[in-house]
Amino acid sequence: MIRGMLKRLASLALLAAGLATSWGAAWADTPPSGLAAAYLSARHAQADDDPVTASRYIDEVLKIDPGNRSMQLMAYFQKAQAGDIDGARPYAEAAFADRPGLALAPLLVAITDYSEGRFLSAQEVIGSISGRNSLDVFMPLIRAWARAPVQTHTESLAALAPYEGREELRELTASMSALLNEYYGRDEAALVYYRALAQSADKLPLYMLRLVTDGLHRLGQSDEARETVARYREARNPSPPWQGYLERFEDSDASRSQLTAQAGMAEALYAMTRIRVATARRSSGLQFALVFANLALYLNPDLDMLRRDLADVFAASGQHQMAVNILRDIPKSDPGYLIARIRLAEYLDRIGQTEEAVSSLENLARAFPGLPEPLISLGDILRNKERFEEAVDVYDRAFARYPNGRPTSWAVYYSRGMALERSKMWDRAERDFKEALQINPEQAQVLNYLGYSWLDRGENIREARRMIEMAADQHPEDGFITDSLGWAMYLMGEYQEAVVHLERAVSIEPSDPTINEHLGDAYWKVGRETEARFQWRRALAMDPDEDQSEEIRTKLQRGLARN
């Protein structure tokens, strides 16, 4: 309620200031006029999870009213999310002085000290963070690296003691123990941890594989690093766009300087970013992840993989323009360039720049003529835009790039199958759905799509129902699958049972015209004609396509035939 009110007030402020442009263009064209407009605009941007814009408006407020306490307290967090760590520091200092119970503000101050080699000062600030706070689970990591440049290895490693025995933090503990021992020159102890992680290469996330192989290379164990990558390849069979990373991890000649304290702390912050993203339940969790990621890059700008992850964090919080800005800056020399460009196109499409996304993927497909992935992504974008025949052509080009024209992923067949079905090329679509089920016989989305398509065509009704029931067992809370099950019952004359499932489908997906229409049909068959007409009118108000609209209007006029 408060967030909504702030947005409405800020919109009024923008109007009062004469800003008739869109929100994104408002700052670029004309800064807000007056304190009230700037203040409310900053609050609007904060509520809208847009830290870059919020930071700009906060600066405008503080130019006019330097003593504005609420803006001062807001400034460090917004600027840190936006990546302006130096600009955030003075506000973080002021916020911590004003509210000693804060945790993120002193961490930010400490990291800026740490980056400049003021290790004693950084340790002192981190030592002042006490009590339960938003950084609780991460404090052992932060304390360990705060101690590293100024205390013994025993004292530094002892900071990790709270993680002992916690299986969910086993990889984190091992990786940080490896890095700390390496930092102190305890190579054999470091290798014990690196090798233990390497033995589980098939289960490691990619960023952890990088950390382990880099450590092995630095300690003169390049053969072991290459063996670790080989185990990862064998277990994961990664697609070609990921091979650039793996080749980088194998390369013993790649630039790997001696591990510094700053690089070690940056790895801790990288780990914190990933944990926060994985456990975030609210947007504030992602906001903290953005701060951790920006602090890591502040300490070590060479963490290119983190830039890609950071773009994903922005995208997950709905800030696709920020994600686009980050991915545009990833150079061709980066091992993750291909992945970054594919994701860039996906995010461009989400901010309405579909034609640029299409052009970008076509260029990428030409630059990598042996890889199907850019074309698969392009086909997905066209399909989602309901440009189905274009999508089919693009998918066909992608299939031609697979050995023998046969992908090994069910998802590729499923994607083309949907485009084929919507292009009224049913025979080919059916073959693709069956191929997808050959690869993954229990894939719920394929079972539902093929089953519902058969129902819609009046074919294989019993087999269709069996497949939909399998899908519903896996995903009982999926409204579309529940609708399919109810519709199968309807077509088999089980109207009372159909009503139960279709009512539930509508409760899960209340805004889908087809599900509402189906429920109306079922109501009519059980004699609930008033409710049936209500559902049909409701479906008609949801802007179905013209063919469906005409069918619903006919039902409203004539009803349905009685059995």
Side-chain angles (χ1 to χ4, degrees), residues 245-316:
Y245 280 122
L246 300 186
E247 290 168 5
R248 161 67 175 77
F249 300 160
E250 290 174 315
D251 185 3
S252 60
D253 294 327
S255 176
R256 292 182 178 86
S257 57
Q258 182 179 359
L259 181 67
T260 64
Q262 288 90 341
M265 180 69 90
E267 293 291 354
L269 289 161
Y270 193 166
M272 289 162 57
T273 302
R274 292 182 60 87
I275 292 170
R276 179 61 76 179
V277 169
T279 59
R281 295 293 179 266
R282 300 188 302 271
S283 62
S284 60
L286 292 176
Q287 291 166 1
F288 273 78
L290 289 175
V291 174
F292 297 156
N294 283 321
L295 289 173
L297 289 166
Y298 184 78
L299 289 174
N300 183 5
D302 294 331
L303 282 176
D304 291 326
M305 189 181 291
L306 176 53
R307 295 184 194 281
R308 194 203 76 229
D309 290 348
L310 182 58
D312 291 345
V313 173
F314 274 112

Side-chain angles (χ1 to χ4, degrees), residues 163-327:
Y163 292 160
E164 290 179 7
R166 297 182 61 175
E167 181 58 26
E168 75 277 15
L169 298 176
R170 182 185 61 82
E171 286 179 358
L172 175 66
T173 306
S175 62
M176 289 301 124
S177 297
L179 288 167
L180 284 163
N181 275 297
E182 181 186 349
Y183 172 75
Y184 280 106
R186 293 165 47 82
D187 293 358
E188 288 305 315
L191 284 170
V192 169
Y193 289 105
Y194 283 132
R195 285 167 174 159
L197 288 165
Q199 289 303 310
S200 302
D202 58 321
K203 299 181 178 66
L204 293 179
L206 198 67
Y207 97 100
M208 186 70 76
L209 184 68
R210 171 196 55 82
L211 187 150
V212 171
T213 54
D214 278 1
L216 290 171
H217 282 302
R218 284 194 301 266
L219 296 179
Q221 306 299 318
S222 291
D223 287 344
E224 291 186 45
R226 285 187 282 271
E227 290 168 6
T228 302
V229 174
R231 284 198 297 276
Y232 181 93
R233 271 204 179 94
E234 183 178 358
R236 298 290 189 91
N237 190 26
S239 61
W242 297 96
Q243 294 298 337
Y245 280 122
L246 300 186
E247 290 168 5
R248 161 67 175 77
F249 300 160
E250 290 174 315
D251 185 3
S252 60
D253 294 327
S255 176
R256 292 182 178 86
S257 57
Q258 182 179 359
L259 181 67
T260 64
Q262 288 90 341
M265 180 69 90
E267 293 291 354
L269 289 161
Y270 193 166
M272 289 162 57
T273 302
R274 292 182 60 87
I275 292 170
R276 179 61 76 179
V277 169
T279 59
R281 295 293 179 266
R282 300 188 302 271
S283 62
S284 60
L286 292 176
Q287 291 166 1
F288 273 78
L290 289 175
V291 174
F292 297 156
N294 283 321
L295 289 173
L297 289 166
Y298 184 78
L299 289 174
N300 183 5
D302 294 331
L303 282 176
D304 291 326
M305 189 181 291
L306 176 53
R307 295 184 194 281
R308 194 203 76 229
D309 290 348
L310 182 58
D312 291 345
V313 173
F314 274 112
S317 64
Q319 298 178 67
H320 294 103
Q321 184 63 62
M322 290 295 296
V324 164
N325 294 343
I326 293 169
L327 293 174

